[in-house]
């Protein structure tokens, strides 16, 4: 089978669960004897129109789009018109005729022109879409409105408010999709630049900036993405959460639910020892939707109950200012280099207190595979692997405190659930050939 993937690119330049999953699935498909291709949004050029160029790669047939649409990532969109510029459809039609894929696996709409999807449909090519986030009907991807409340999606009036003061400028878009940025992304200069941008975004979120675009403009953008989605033959939902959410917006589509995984996971023995202090871990940033404030409040409730023999290990950001006593440990960013340290604790409970609807959440799978116990909010897609007592009501510190006190620590995940080889087979049989 000849499979064309549409994604943001390859790690380490493009990070996050979407890109890791795509790269790992592609690698497994190559090992399975499939013919695998990747098309991704490349850099902008003032000297040419939209075109597709071949890249050198030892593993896959790699192609990039020159002059794609810009990538908002999770920054929001302040100028919708820049994200739906038309292009010559013949560029994509010629490319698809040349590579002749049996199936096109779409991991994101970001950076791709509608004309690509239209060309694929006109050529009667099978297209499937994996629900890594909610970008097709939420420019911020997370389906939370400006008040932190759940959003139903496809609501242009809310998009005006949520995206006010957010989004990249055109210069920032060009820089972050440039070849220079791809080479120097992890240099000190760009690390500081990204840190400064995150702080700037956090400050803007605390005020009420003036809208930069109208509801009509966001309606056009949502319509643009809806037209792209109508070219899809099947939506691959990676959890019941994403299945239910997408069905509310696109009830007429065909769906199949198959949980996801990534490479390198091996099921290890359970490590819990009730005789030792409880080691609680949080892996995430300080964004409000990650729910670290709910965890802090739950720990205060536990202290008031006399349940105080615990340590908290914080990964994902610099939590120095939030470390309240000696039981709080600021461990910095979560990287491949310190990944082994995360799972070494003998009595380990991973808490995933998300306030937004997570389509899956690899960290739940990683915790279980590494022998830790896991509790998560009722908005996390990967809750399907947990018993009810390990699931708490989102944004409810009392419910989380109860889960920490009463969680089931004998939960072990089966090898098949983390096997990328088994997953690749399921994708081929249950998604590509349905």
């Amino acid at each position: 089978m000849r499979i064309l993937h549409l994604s943001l690119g390859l790690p380490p330049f493009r990070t996050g669960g979407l890109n890791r999953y795509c790269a790992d699935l592609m690698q497994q498909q190559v090992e399975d004897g499939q013919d695998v291709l990747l098309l991704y949004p490349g850099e902008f050029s003032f000297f040419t129109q939209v075109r597709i160029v071949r890249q050198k790669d030892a593993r896959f047939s790699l192609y990039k789009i020159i002059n794609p649409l810009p990538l908002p990532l999770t920054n929001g969109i302040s100028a919708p018109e820049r994200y739906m510029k038309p292009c010559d459809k013949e560029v994509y039609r010629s490319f698809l005729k040349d590579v002749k894929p049996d199936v096109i696996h779409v991991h994101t709409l970001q950076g791709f022109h509608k004309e690509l999807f239209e060309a694929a449909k006109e050529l009667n090519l099978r297209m499937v879409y994996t629900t890594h986030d909610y970008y097709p009907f939420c420019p911020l991807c997370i389906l939370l409105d400006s008040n932190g409340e759940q959003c139903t999606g496809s609501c242009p009036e809310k998009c005006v408010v949520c995206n006010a003061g957010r989004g990249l400028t055109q210069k920032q878009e060009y820089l972050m999709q440039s070849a220079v940025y791809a080479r120097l992304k992890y240099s000190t200069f760009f690390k500081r630049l990204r840190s400064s941008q995150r702080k700037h975004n956090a400050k803007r979120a605390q005020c009420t900036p003036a809208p930069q675009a109208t509801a009509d403009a966001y309606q056009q953008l949502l319509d643009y993405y809806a037209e792209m989605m109508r070219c899809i033959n099947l939506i691959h939902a990676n959890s019941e959460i994403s299945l239910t959410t997408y069905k509310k917006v696109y009830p007429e589509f065909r769906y199949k639910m198959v949980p996801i995984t990534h490479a390198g996971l091996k099921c290890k023995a359970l490590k819990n020892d009730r005789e030792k202090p409880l080691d609680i871990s949080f892996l995430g940033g300080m964004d409000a939707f990650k729910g670290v404030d709910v965890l802090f409040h739950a720990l205060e409730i536990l202290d008031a109950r006399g349940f105080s023999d615990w340590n908290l290990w914080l990964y994902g950001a610099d939590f120095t200012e939030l470390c309240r006593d000696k039981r709080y440990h600021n461990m910095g960013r979560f990287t491949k280099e310190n990944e082994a340290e995360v799972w070494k604790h003998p009595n380990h409970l991973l808490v995933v207190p998300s306030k937004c609807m997570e389509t899956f959440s690899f960290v739940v799978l990683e915790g279980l595979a590494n022998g830790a116990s896991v509790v998560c909010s009722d908005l996390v897609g990967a809750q399907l692997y947990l018993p009810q007592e390990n699931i708490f009501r989102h944004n409810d510190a009392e419910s989380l405190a109860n889960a920490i006190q009463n969680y089931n620590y004998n939960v072990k995940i089966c090898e098949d659930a983390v096997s990328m080889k088994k997953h690749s087979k399921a994708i081929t049989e249950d998604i590509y050939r349905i």
Side-chain angles (χ1 to χ4, degrees):
M1 182 177 286
R2 194 166 172 81
I3 308 158
L4 172 63
H5 291 267
L6 306 187
S7 184
L8 297 174
L10 292 172
F13 177 47
R14 295 300 180 194
T15 58
L18 181 158
N19 301 292
R20 181 172 190 174
Y21 170 76
C22 179
D24 288 352
L25 176 60
M26 289 167 60
Q27 182 60 47
Q28 183 61 55
Q29 289 172 338
V30 168
E31 294 174 11
D32 293 341
Q34 311 282 22
D35 193 359
V36 180
L37 307 88
L38 174 66
L39 177 66
Y40 71 96
E43 65 269 18
F44 295 100
S45 171
F46 297 103
F47 308 106
T48 183
Q49 300 297 314
V50 175
R51 63 191 180 97
I52 299 171
V53 298
R54 180 78 180 264
Q55 297 288 102
K56 289 184 179 180
D57 191 272
R59 300 162 296 172
F60 320 114
S61 297
L62 195 61
Y63 299 86
K64 71 175 177 181
I65 305 169
I66 304 298
N67 288 326
L69 292 176
L71 301 177
L73 302 177
T74 57
N75 295 293
I77 294 175
S78 59
E81 67 278 2
R82 293 207 302 269
Y83 294 79
M84 45 184 171
K85 286 184 177 179
C87 73
D88 183 2
K89 190 187 298 183
E90 189 57 36
V91 173
Y92 290 113
R93 191 195 309 274
S94 297
F95 169 72
L96 294 173
K97 283 183 176 180
D98 183 44
V99 299
K100 298 181 176 64
D102 296 306
V103 63
I104 301 174
H105 190 154
V106 183
H107 298 270
T108 182
L109 304 186
Q110 290 199 25
F112 296 101
H113 297 91
K114 182 179 67 172
E115 286 79 0
L116 166 60
F117 290 73
E118 292 174 340
K121 186 174 183 179
E122 290 166 7
L123 293 171
N124 201 29
L125 295 174
R126 188 184 314 163
M127 301 185 78
V128 301
Y129 174 85
T130 294
T131 58
H132 293 289
D133 55 38
Y134 302 109
Y135 182 74
F137 41 90
C138 175
L140 290 175
C141 300
I142 58 174
L143 273 186
L144 284 181
D145 65 20
S146 56
N147 297 316
E149 301 295 329
Q150 299 299 319
C151 182
T152 56
S154 293
C155 182
E157 290 77 18
K158 283 190 174 182
C159 290
V160 171
V161 179
C162 293
N163 289 274
R166 300 182 64 98
L168 301 172
T169 65
Q170 192 166 24
K171 288 182 179 179
Q172 288 172 325
E173 290 166 356
Y174 276 52
L175 175 63
M176 293 181 70
Q177 289 175 239
S178 68
V180 172
Y181 184 71
R183 288 195 299 270
L184 302 176
K185 178 180 180 180
Y186 296 102
S187 66
T188 301
F189 172 76
F190 280 114
K191 284 180 180 178
R192 288 175 178 171
L193 189 65
R194 288 194 298 274
S195 177
S196 175
Q197 184 65 35
R198 282 193 293 268
K199 291 178 181 177
H200 181 59
N201 289 342
K203 288 181 179 178
R204 286 189 301 184
Q206 294 172 1
C207 62
T208 308
Q212 296 153 281
T214 65
D216 285 344
Y218 284 107
Q219 183 63 66
Q220 291 176 31
L221 184 66
L222 294 171
D223 291 343
Y224 183 86
Y225 293 142
E227 289 176 26
M228 295 170 78
M229 291 297 291
R230 290 190 191 101
C231 298
I232 300 293
N233 301 103
L234 179 74
I235 293 182
H236 161 218
N238 49 12
S239 70
E240 289 290 344
I241 293 281
S242 64
L243 177 66
T244 302
T245 306
Y246 267 77
K247 275 188 172 182
K248 288 178 181 177
V249 180
Y250 303 126
E252 72 280 12
F253 282 39
R254 296 182 69 193
Y255 292 87
K256 180 71 176 181
M257 203 278 280
V258 176
I260 59 177
T261 185
H262 65 71
L265 291 175
K266 301 290 183 183
C267 292
K268 300 177 182 177
L270 295 172
K271 300 176 182 177
N272 289 76
D273 182 352
R274 286 292 190 176
E275 298 304 314
K276 297 180 181 293
L278 180 61
D279 287 305
I280 302 170
S281 289
F282 170 83
L283 279 68
M286 288 193 285
D287 295 305
F289 61 83
K290 290 297 184 181
V292 71
D293 60 319
V294 181
L295 174 56
F296 288 163
H297 189 192
L299 294 176
E300 292 173 356
I301 293 172
L302 291 174
D303 276 345
R305 294 176 182 176
F307 187 95
S308 58
D309 193 12
W310 50 262
N311 288 291
L312 176 62
W313 306 86
L314 297 162
Y315 295 88
D318 184 358
F319 293 94
T320 302
E321 296 180 3
L322 299 178
C323 290
R324 307 179 180 190
D325 62 40
K326 63 181 181 180
R327 294 173 298 173
Y328 286 63
H329 305 275
N330 176 38
M331 306 305 293
R333 300 196 66 80
F334 178 56
T335 64
K336 275 189 171 294
E337 288 70 32
N338 64 13
E339 188 172 359
E341 294 293 310
V342 175
W343 311 115
K344 71 177 183 180
H345 306 295
N347 186 19
H348 194 171
L349 176 64
L350 173 68
V351 177
V352 187
S354 298
K355 297 180 183 179
C356 69
M357 287 184 287
E358 302 264 10
T359 59
F360 190 74
S361 182
F362 274 142
V363 70
V364 171
L365 203 62
E366 291 161 356
L368 292 172
N370 281 281
S373 296
V374 181
V375 300
C376 73
S377 82
D378 54 5
L379 298 181
V380 176
Q383 66 179 273
L384 60 96
Y385 295 113
L386 301 178
Q388 192 58 46
E389 57 267 31
N390 290 34
I391 303 168
F392 58 91
R393 293 187 300 276
H394 67 279
N395 211 19
D396 186 335
E398 191 84 30
S399 179
L400 173 53
N402 293 337
I404 292 174
Q405 275 192 285
N406 303 310
Y407 70 93
N408 184 334
Y409 58 92
N410 292 312
V411 180
K412 183 168 175 58
I413 197 165
C414 69
E415 199 71 48
D416 284 356
V418 302
S419 168
M420 180 52 78
K421 187 172 182 62
K422 291 283 182 69
H423 176 73
S424 176
K425 182 179 179 182
I427 289 295
T428 299
E429 295 180 354
D430 297 337
I431 303 299
Y432 296 165
R433 291 178 176 160
I434 195 166

